[in-house]
Each structure stands twice: as structure tokens, then as C-alpha cells.
Amino acid sequence: RASLWGRLKELIERKPTIDAALYGQLEEALLSADLGVSLVGRLLKDIRARPATSGGGIDGVRTALKAKVLEALNATGADDAPLFDSGATPTVILFVGVNGVGKTTTIGKIAALCRARQKSVVLAAGDTFRAAAVEQLAVWAERTGSALIRGETGADPASVIFNAVNHAKEAHADIVLADTAGRLHTKSDLMDEIKKVKRAAGKARSGAPDHTWLVVDATTGQNALQQAREFHQALGLSGVILTKLDGTAKGGVVVAIADAVKLKVRFVGVGEKPDDLRPFVATSFVDALFA
Amino acid sequence: ILSKGFNNAKAALTGHAVLTPQNIDDAVREIRVSLLEADVEVGVSRVFLDRVKERAIGEVVTLETKSGAKKLTTTPGEHFVLICHNEIEKLLGPVEEAPIVFRRPYTIIMMVGLQGTGKTTTAAKLASYLKADGRRPMLVAADIYRPAAVEQLQQLGLRVGVPVYAAPGLAPEQLCQDALREAKKKKRDVVIFDTAGRLAIDDVLMTELEEIKRRTRPDNTFLVCDAMAGQDTVRTASEFNRRLDITGFILTKIDGDARGGAALSIKEVTGKPIKFLGVGEGLDRLEPFRPEGLASRILG
Ligand SMILES: Nc1nc2c(ncn2[C@@H]2O[C@H](COP(=O)(O)OP(=O)(O)OP(=O)(O)O)[C@@H](O)[C@H]2O)c(=O)[nH]1
Ligand SMILES: Nc1nc2c(ncn2[C@@H]2O[C@H](COP(=O)(O)OP(=O)(O)OP(=O)(O)O)[C@@H](O)[C@H]2O)c(=O)[nH]1
Ligand SMILES: [Mg+2]
Ligand SMILES: [Mg+2]
């Protein structure tokens, strides 16, 4: 089944002038990638406002659009502190996000990445709520040769993170990856809890966590923008992890997130295995968006 | 609470005594924004709004011909919004008398869907719901891939007080077949297969589901979808439907603030009914579907 851009290309080839109908098609293609109606409206408005001399026909429009999307993705947010050797030990990374997006699996993948660089890893089982959450993380600990720090079922997640960071300090471990329970940003008690978890990391080691990453599912629509806003306001995020990009969803909502909340994507998840993780490369992402 | 789109639509029609093809266009444009913000798929929004427009214009015509005998009781803006609301409810409904097909000596429910949508949790919720309804459900741990998936279902089964069938080392299609033998033995009358999350484009895993279906002939195949799903949902839902002929779908995480437009898209494209809504993580957080609430939410 031809991609939307593929069909668009056919249309364009039959009709080399840029008209309202063509812009309508461009709008639909961008909307289908979850960029969101207000961002798409702005991008197309900027493109139409280009001087007539910028020419290039439809390819020119496409190139200009890609450049605009790339601009939105790059022009924002500080570059994250380096993953390794950022000075403080252990490096502490907090993973947050709504239910089912891939936090636990992503931690497993990041652990594998660290272990491949001969770094010692401590996993903090901060999801003390969901059935078999700790057992799930335990499998990843075993798979990657990482230590696991857990608490009692129903224990205070902040105490688990606190203990994990302290353990990592004592063991001179390089990195602590803190898993947390999935939570909807609309639940104020759960948002209070995650703030407490973050503070606990800072109590165990001053300045921790070094990274607080929001995990976002590529199949999510406009709600991801709201998730980013709420979690950022509550915690101060330092980046986004986009998962499930191996599916057919394009994850375009991260462009809206970069544009509105000024947060960059650090890694993308492309499958369920330990090595299914890639650093985010904005140009490849934009190429895939316009494929 | 009406979204900006709705208020703009009403505003577009303020000062007009009657809906005309011209002023309807402006209102339609505003509603389109609202639907897209709600994650209704682009093509589905277009088809839906064409239908609304046709009806609105049609109603204008009937009002005009009866204008001697009839008086408008609402403003054209309110009338238009009412048409939209009504059309969405019509599309999302009708509500079924019995969301689950029951059969003797047991009925089978197969849960399918993308990764992380809430299949395992919803399987347990269904077991809890059926048990409260006087039935004897059994859960089947057919996800042999995800770390601790079997443990997750076993823990939930304990919590609900429902047996969980697990068989380490068996392929899912064999495991599900064996589960039916176990159900007969234990006189369980509802068997719920919890399957692994998978991509609709994963041919090997989609074939696995087809094989489970071929061997066990489930009476109910529920596609479990996340309420926050975006534009691509249509593609995955139609593929699951094409390969498995789903009997309905369940929308989860409705307790968040996602508008849930994916539900409209899935319904429009597959024609299959919405069966239940997942409204929380607790095992009692499952509701049979009612269109009115979701319609208002999608419209914003
Ligand atoms: N295809 C694919 N599946 C993924 C990816 N990342 C995670 N998953 C799957 O998504 C499902 C949910 O992953 P989890 O890691 O349990 O998600 P979570 O955010 O920890 O979930 P909760 O803790 O319940 O909120 C699992 O089936 C994972 O295998 C990815 O990049 N691609
Ligand atoms: N808030 C909320 N959370 C839900 C709901 N349904 C499921 N969840 C949560 O969503 C997450 C994923 O649920 P699972 O049941 O593990 O999802 P799954 O589809 O079985 O995942 P895979 O087997 O990996 O594909 C868990 O954290 C659940 O508690 C719901 O209706 N509301
Ligand atoms: Mg988890
Ligand atoms: Mg599951």
C-alpha cells in the first residue's frame, strides 16, 4: 500500500503547479504523521509566504518544508549532558511517562548500551505498584548483567530510588537507571509522587537525577503534547525517548513537543530486543517523515 | 465544555437566520480543527464532515419549505453543533444489548492489539466483570515473549480469584488449544486468551494470531486500543480487522485527558462496535460502552 507521500508524489507529477488543492494534500500528509493541526497550519503558512523567486516547484516546497520541520526539532532545548562521563557518579537517569509507553523496556535497552561500554549499571525498581513490574525489570537486569535494587510491594517508590542511588555510590557503579510506574498526568496524586521520587534522587546524590526523560509512544496522537507539558512543568524534563518507531506510526508529535515545549528527542526505540535502540538523528527522522 | 472549534463554529453562524451552504462551510472548517485536535483521522474527518454538511443543508431545505408552519427554536449555530453531536453518537453507536457473545459449554474471548495498550490488565478486568456476573472465567497466559508477562497475569488472576492457565515452553497456538481442554475439565465457562502485543505489520506474529483463531474458533476477538492513539490507528485497526475479523474493540486509559478521536476513526473504518471502556488501572475499572460521553469528549 503506497505511502501517503508516495501518492502525493504521483499527484504532484501530474500537476506541477502549486495550488490550493496541492496544499490541501500536503496538509493531509503532515497531519497523518501526527504533527498536529496548529503546527501544520503554521508550517504551510510559512511555506506559502516564501518569495516567488525561491522556485523549485513541488520539490522546492518539499525541501523547504523539511527544513522547517528540522528547524523546529533542532532549534530548541539544550543539548543534553553526555550520557557517560558527565562528571558526577553515579550518573542517574529517571524515566517517566504514561502507562504502557515502553519505560521499563527502554531502561533494559539503555542498560545494554551501558554494559556494551563496560559501564556498571544499577536498575532501580521504582514501579512498586503494577503487577509483576519488578519481575519484568529483574529479567532485564539479568539479561544485561545489571544490579537490581527493589523494595517491598507497595513500598514508597521514592525510598527505592533513594536506596538505589546510595547503593550505586557505595558500589562505585557508573549509572543508575530509575524505573517508575506509568501514570496519567491528569492524576495529581501520582504527579506529586513522581516529584517526590525526583527529590529523593537529589537527596541521595546532590544534583541527581542528571537526566529526566519522558518516554513517549510513537503511536500517540496530540495527547503526547499535553503529557510533555505536564511532566515538564512538574519535573523539568531534559529529553524525550520516542518508542515503537518500528511500527507504522511516524511519531510526528515530537515535532510539536520540540516546538512548543522545547524538548529534544534523545533516543528512539525500534523494537523489543535489547539492541533495538538508536540515538535520535533529526535528519533521518525528518527523511522518514517525508518518505 | 465546548472547544474553541465549536465556539468558533457557532460564532461563524451567529447573525445568520438560517443555515446556508455558505455559512455551513465556515462552521465545518472550525469543527474539522476540533476533530483533528481530538486525533480523528484526516480521511475519516473529511468523510464525517461531508455527511454532517449534507445533513445540515438537507435540514435547512426542509426547514425552509416548512418555514410557514415551523419556527426555529435554536440558533443555526446551536443547530449545527447538535447535528455534529448527533452524527458522532450515531457513528459511535449503537450500544449493543450484549457486548459479549456467550456459548455453551464455554465461550472464548481473544484479546489482541499493539504493544502496551492494556490487554493483560483488561483481560483481568473482564474476568472480574464476568465473575461478578456469576460466570466461571479462566485466564490464559498466551504471551510467552514479554518478560514476566505470565507472572503479571498470574498475579492479576490471584487478585481477581480466577484460575490462570500457563504452560511454559508451549507455542501460543498450542497453549490456547490445551487451555480449552483444561477449561472443559475444570468446568470454566469463559476462556480469555491474553496474547502478546504485536505490530499489525509483523507477519509472523499476525499469522500466529490467525493460527490461534483457526484452532480455537474464539467467539469474541477484542482489539484493545489506547484512547491516546493518533492518526495511525486506522491503519493498525484495519489490518487487525482484515486478518482476524475482530468482533469489537475496547478503548483503554479513558481516565486520562486524551480526546479519544481514534475511537471514531476505528469505528468508521472497521464498522465494528466499541464494547468496553477501560477507565483506570484498578481491576474494577471497566465500563460497558455508552456513546454519549465519548461523543462530547471527541468534540471537545
Ligand atoms: N515494537 C516495539 N515495542 C516496544 C518498544 N518499546 C517497548 N515496547 C513494548 O511495549 C510494551 C510495553 O513496554 P513496557 O516497557 O512494559 O512499558 P512501560 O512504560 O514500562 O509500561 P508501564 O510500566 O505498565 O507503564 C511491551 O510489550 C514492550 O515490549 C519499541 O520500541 N518497539
Ligand atoms: N490509567 C489506566 N491505565 C491502564 C488502563 N488499562 C491498562 N492500563 C495500564 O497500562 C499499562 C499497560 O497495561 P498492560 O495490561 O500491561 O498492557 P498490554 O497490552 O498487556 O501490554 P503488552 O502485553 O506489552 O502488549 C499498565 O501500566 C496498566 O496498568 C486504563 O484503563 N487506565
Ligand atoms: Mg514499566
Ligand atoms: Mg500484556
Side-chain angles (χ1 to χ4, degrees):
Chain A
R1 182 178 172 279
S3 74
L4 192 48
W5 282 103
R7 283 184 280 132
L8 193 56
K9 201 162 159 292
E10 285 176 33
L11 262 168
I12 292 161
E13 277 158 4
R14 281 189 269 132
K15 195 180 207 197
T17 59
I18 304 162
D19 57 7
L22 185 62
Y23 273 102
Q25 300 286 351
L26 281 172
E27 188 214 33
E28 283 212 3
L30 291 169
L31 288 171
S32 305
D34 287 311
L35 264 72
V37 59
S38 79
L39 176 61
V40 171
R42 261 186 31 231
L43 290 173
L44 287 178
K45 187 154 151 281
D46 289 349
I47 295 299
R48 286 185 105 142
R50 289 182 322 144
T53 46
S54 50
I58 186 55
D59 282 330
V61 171
R62 187 173 146 132
T63 308
L65 258 178
K66 282 176 87 164
K68 284 252 163 255
V69 173
L70 206 56
E71 196 181 315
L73 280 172
N74 283 329
T76 76
D79 267 327
D80 214 358
L83 191 57
F84 304 114
D85 315 314
S86 59
T89 29
T91 298
V92 179
I93 308 184
L94 184 63
F95 293 80
V96 302
V98 304
N99 307 71
V101 294
K103 299 176 291 302
T104 305
T105 306
T106 299
I107 286 173
K109 295 172 186 177
I110 299 272
L113 175 67
C114 294
R115 298 293 295 136
R117 311 271 177 89
Q118 277 75 45
K119 303 290 179 186
S120 54
V121 179
V122 171
L123 302 185
D127 182 352
T128 57
F129 170 78
R130 205 207 70 207
V134 177
E135 289 85 332
Q136 183 186 5
L137 193 64
V139 171
W140 283 102
E142 183 171 351
R143 270 182 192 174
T144 57
S146 307
L148 178 75
I149 299 298
R150 51 191 294 175
E152 302 284 322
T153 311
D156 176 12
S159 67
V160 176
I161 269 62
F162 182 83
N163 292 340
V165 176
N166 275 325
H167 168 91
K169 276 162 65 186
E170 284 158 23
H172 304 290
D174 295 307
I175 193 160
V176 177
L177 304 175
D179 194 11
T180 64
R183 70 202 61 232
L184 298 181
H185 49 279
T186 47
K187 314 217 161 156
S188 55
D189 54 334
L190 298 183
M191 293 308 281
D192 286 341
E193 178 186 85
I194 197 68
K195 285 181 196 165
K196 202 160 159 273
V197 169
K198 186 176 184 199
R199 281 199 300 274
K203 286 199 193 111
R205 194 219 86 199
S206 155
D210 304 283
H211 310 273
T212 302
W213 290 340
L214 177 72
V215 181
V216 170
D217 186 328
T219 66
T220 310
Q222 296 311 296
N223 195 249
L225 185 51
Q226 199 50 26
Q227 293 169 21
R229 284 198 179 104
E230 300 279 345
F231 276 93
H232 191 45
Q233 178 170 52
L235 301 172
L237 300 171
S238 61
V240 168
I241 310 282
L242 183 63
T243 60
K244 309 181 195 172
L245 214 50
D246 47 316
T248 45
K250 300 219 167 179
V253 70
V254 298
V255 183
I257 291 174
D259 177 65
V261 194
K262 311 290 181 245
L263 287 171
K264 284 181 162 176
V265 181
R266 305 301 177 189
F267 290 95
V268 297
V270 293
E272 304 185 68
K273 301 192 305 299
D275 59 357
D276 287 329
L277 187 78
R278 308 270 176 278
F280 180 73
V281 179
T283 45
S284 326
F285 181 78
V286 173
D287 287 341
L289 215 56
F290 284 70
Chain B
I1 311 161
L2 285 183
S3 68
K4 178 156 124 329
F6 256 106
N7 286 319
N8 289 348
K10 284 173 68 169
L13 294 168
T14 307
H16 295 281
V18 81
L19 296 176
T20 67
Q22 290 69 39
N23 59 34
I24 282 176
D25 263 349
D26 294 332
V28 163
R29 216 182 334 270
E30 295 299 336
I31 299 296
R32 180 174 181 262
V33 169
S34 201
L35 293 177
L36 292 172
E37 284 174 342
D39 294 320
V40 179
E41 199 259 348
V42 168
V44 170
S45 306
R46 197 172 357 97
V47 163
F48 174 78
L49 288 170
D50 285 345
R51 211 158 43 225
V52 161
K53 200 170 153 191
E54 203 173 319
R55 180 175 152 186
I57 291 176
E59 296 204 358
V60 169
V61 170
T62 38
L63 284 169
E64 281 177 349
T65 55
K66 290 185 181 170
S67 61
K70 255 184 134 188
K71 187 177 187 303
L72 273 178
T73 52
T74 65
T75 67
E78 284 165 352
H79 187 68
F80 182 76
V81 164
L82 205 64
I83 292 176
C84 285
H85 206 281
N86 197 264
E87 283 296 318
I88 291 195
E89 275 192 36
K90 254 175 49 197
L91 177 48
L92 291 175
V95 175
E96 300 181 299
E97 285 307 316
I100 299 175
V101 170
F102 289 105
R103 194 166 57 98
R104 300 258 168 73
Y106 53 71
T107 210
I108 300 173
I109 301 174
M110 181 164 77
M111 312 291 286
V112 303
L114 295 177
Q115 291 88 347
T117 55
K119 297 175 293 301
T120 305
T121 308
T122 306
K125 289 178 184 179
L126 280 170
S128 174
Y129 171 86
L130 291 162
K131 187 175 178 216
D133 194 37
R135 302 188 190 263
R136 298 168 48 80
M138 177 175 109
L139 288 163
V140 178
D143 179 353
I144 62 167
Y145 309 104
R146 168 173 153 156
V150 174
E151 283 92 319
Q152 185 186 6
L153 195 65
Q154 284 171 330
Q155 286 186 19
L156 294 178
L158 266 176
R159 220 177 285 176
V160 175
V162 160
V164 176
Y165 180 81
L170 280 189
E173 55 273 26
Q174 187 58 48
L175 196 157
C176 289
Q177 237 179 333
D178 289 3
L180 297 185
R181 267 197 284 282
E182 185 74 4
K184 269 211 201 91
K185 230 195 283 170
K186 295 241 165 86
K187 301 217 171 22
R188 310 308 297 181
D189 58 16
V190 186
V191 184
I192 305 170
F193 298 151
D194 178 27
T195 67
R198 67 205 63 213
L199 299 177
I201 52 171
D202 185 328
D203 189 53
V204 170
L205 287 182
M206 290 302 285
T207 303
E208 175 187 281
L209 287 180
E210 287 172 332
E211 185 57 17
I212 295 174
K213 185 171 184 211
R214 190 185 69 80
R215 294 190 191 198
T216 63
R217 302 254 150 257
D219 313 279
N220 306 273
T221 301
F222 294 156
L223 177 65
V224 181
C225 303
D226 201 318
M228 61 185 182
Q231 295 283 319
D232 197 62
T233 318
V234 156
R235 197 183 318 200
T236 61
S238 27
E239 187 59 9
F240 271 100
N241 191 38
R242 182 183 76 82
R243 295 190 67 155
L244 301 170
D245 189 18
I246 65 176
T247 60
F249 60 106
I250 298 178
L251 207 61
T252 61
K253 307 175 203 170
I254 284 280
D255 46 314
D257 59 2
R259 298 266 294 278
L264 197 74
S265 311
I266 297 173
K267 181 86 210 298
E268 169 73 20
V269 160
T270 64
K272 299 297 167 75
I274 305 173
K275 301 282 188 175
F276 293 95
L277 299 177
V279 294
E281 289 190 82
L283 296 179
D284 60 344
R285 311 268 78 212
L286 185 76
E287 294 175 358
F289 172 67
R290 291 275 169 282
E292 312 80 40
L294 191 53
S296 306
R297 180 180 178 128
I298 290 174
L299 286 173

